[in-house]
Amino acid sequence: MREHSPFTEEELRHICGAGRRRDWERGEPLMHEGSPPDNVILIEDGLVKITTETPNGYTSVLAIRGPGELLGELSCVDGGRRSATATALWDGRGVVVTAERFRQLLAQQGPLALAVLRSVAGRLRQSDRQRGEYGAYPAGTRIARVLADLAMRHGEPVPGPSGAGAESDVDVDAGSVSVTGSVSVSVRITQRELAGAAGTSRESVARTVRALQQDGLVTVGRGRVVMRDSRALLRWRGE
């Protein structure tokens, strides 16, 4: 849980000690946009997508959170309603801390409060970067960069040398990513979710994945994308 977490082991212990453990199933909503901020969740296992609904019914994927990251901390601090919905991408578990207990914890633990502040600042920086990329890059490039980012932040090792056998062994809703050419990792995201994360259409995702496949960077399966080199995806400039 520590690898991609903004918190130290001690800070994670403080959070875990203040709450109760909860399991969830794939597709289960953990928080709803517009709801009151009654708790914070620390993800221990699994990925969670953060989405918001536009007035015309479009679902935008704002981020994907993984182990060691918090959900809902900003609204618990400022008291505002939830600004987005959090939904489990697959079965997972975490620690639920009530909003009141979380605020008490921040008041008692100065280093933890500073770590939460750093985490929120980092997310704001990432959001600013993504908005800049929407204007600077075409849809295909954004899609490739989202895939690369998911691989580096949330990839899980897949057995087999250089991903050998991964195409038949990984769940059909997962994507396998080769970061170094010798180690394969997997992330679970559908084409619809990928379109929402890149701010484009499913048709654009389908075209981009075909182009990436022609360039030898990915292979595709039903509901998944198998990527060979995340660094090459970051450099890819599309159609």
Side-chain angles (χ1 to χ4, degrees), residues 51-184:
T51 61
T52 186
E53 299 287 336
T54 62
N56 63 359
Y58 177 77
T59 300
S60 176
V61 180
L62 303 178
I64 293 179
R65 305 294 182 214
E69 295 187 280
L70 287 175
L71 303 174
E73 73 277 22
L74 190 56
S75 4
C76 280
V77 170
D78 69 9
R81 291 186 174 272
R82 305 286 194 198
S83 58
T85 295
T87 307
L89 282 176
W90 72 70
D91 294 355
R93 68 176 184 275
V95 176
V96 181
V97 183
T98 66
E100 181 179 2
R101 182 69 186 97
F102 183 69
R103 288 190 291 267
Q104 291 173 350
L105 192 61
L106 295 184
Q108 296 165 358
Q109 301 291 335
L112 176 59
L114 184 58
V116 170
L117 180 60
R118 284 197 300 265
S119 173
V120 171
R123 291 178 180 180
L124 290 174
R125 288 181 184 274
Q126 182 182 24
S127 177
D128 288 343
R129 176 181 60 80
Q130 288 175 337
R131 282 197 295 269
E133 288 182 355
Y134 284 168
Y137 298 126
T141 303
R142 297 199 307 270
I143 292 165
R145 292 177 72 86
V146 168
L147 289 171
D149 183 67
L150 287 172
M152 291 184 287
R153 285 174 52 80
H154 301 302
E156 293 187 326
V158 174
S162 299
E167 290 186 33
S168 60
D169 294 339
V170 181
D171 184 271
V172 296
D173 289 321
S176 294
V177 187
S178 178
V179 178
T180 66
S182 61
V183 178
S184 291

Side-chain angles (χ1 to χ4, degrees), residues 15-23 39-40 44 94-98:
I15 297 172
C16 291
R20 59 177 177 81
R21 278 183 165 76
R22 171 188 171 184
D23 295 328
N39 58 49
V40 169
E44 291 188 303
V95 176
V96 181
V97 183
T98 66

